[in-house]
Amino acid sequence: MVAAHFIGRNLIPLNFKQQRREADFRFAIARVTDQADPVALMRGEPVEREELNRRFDALVLNWLALVYRQTKLNGFVFGYFHVSTVLPLLILTPAFLIGAIPLGVLIQGSEAFRKVESAFAFCTSYAKIAEWKALLDRVSQFESAMMHMDEHGQGGPRLRPPPATSFR
């Protein structure tokens, strides 16, 4: 389990950056779309294209790093899964071969190991946990920025929920 964390620990910042890069790229596309007429009038297509390419390149580079790290983690997880399937049999087989335990005990021991190991194995879910952690970090960052804006009065008028009205 420590090895899964060592291999996958970079997934959290990579997922965080990936979400940020995707949002930046979507924002840039929406901005260019909204400002298409002024861009065309000022012949700013090369500048806008360069900016979109820069953001897209950053998105792709981060995505490649994310895929590389997830591939390493998946290789470890699947290797661990296959080794953990065979390991209890390898440990108990010598006792079975010398007649110290019957075949039923060998199978029961293997199944007991598998159940205990699967109860404690989080490494199969490590990539998803890292993705959730990155998402929570982004939401937390957004929340703290909004609280900072509210505290310093830079947010303009605060949004208030509409008054409750009764419908009859």
Side-chain angles (χ1 to χ4, degrees), residues 8-18 62 66 130 134 137:
R9 70 176 182 240
N10 291 338
L11 283 175
I12 296 169
L14 285 172
N15 275 314
F16 186 90
K17 279 199 281 189
Q18 186 68 17
N62 192 75
L66 188 61
D137 287 348

Side-chain angles (χ1 to χ4, degrees), residues 26-166:
R26 283 191 304 268
F27 173 77
I29 289 174
R31 187 181 59 77
V32 169
T33 303
D34 288 346
Q35 301 296 322
D37 292 337
V39 168
L41 286 173
M42 294 178 6
R43 297 178 192 237
E45 295 93 347
V47 173
E48 294 299 332
R49 182 175 289 117
E50 183 180 326
E51 178 64 19
L52 287 174
N53 283 337
R54 185 187 65 76
R55 289 179 190 231
F56 186 73
D57 289 344
L59 175 79
V60 169
L61 284 174
N62 192 75
W63 181 78
L64 289 173
L66 188 61
V67 167
Y68 174 74
R69 185 57 60 173
Q70 284 181 335
T71 301
K72 285 179 74 172
L73 181 64
N74 285 342
F76 170 76
V77 167
F78 292 130
Y80 174 80
F81 176 73
H82 289 300
V83 168
S84 70
T85 304
V86 177
L87 184 66
L89 289 174
L90 291 175
I91 292 172
L92 293 174
T93 298
F96 171 71
L97 292 177
I98 63 171
I101 60 171
L103 180 62
V105 172
L106 175 73
I107 301 301
Q108 284 178 346
S110 174
E111 283 299 308
F113 179 86
R114 187 184 63 77
K115 287 187 185 275
V116 169
E117 183 271 332
S118 67
F120 288 112
F122 73 93
C123 63
T124 56
S125 304
Y126 196 92
K128 194 52 126 172
I129 292 169
E131 189 177 334
W132 287 340
K133 170 73 168 101
L135 182 65
L136 287 174
D137 287 348
R138 281 189 54 86
V139 169
S140 174
Q141 186 182 47
F142 176 73
E143 182 182 25
S144 67
M146 295 303 291
M147 289 173 64
H148 178 76
M149 295 294 282
D150 286 345
E151 288 172 4
H152 297 295
Q154 299 170 354
R158 293 189 63 176
L159 296 176
R160 304 219 189 283
T165 57
S166 61

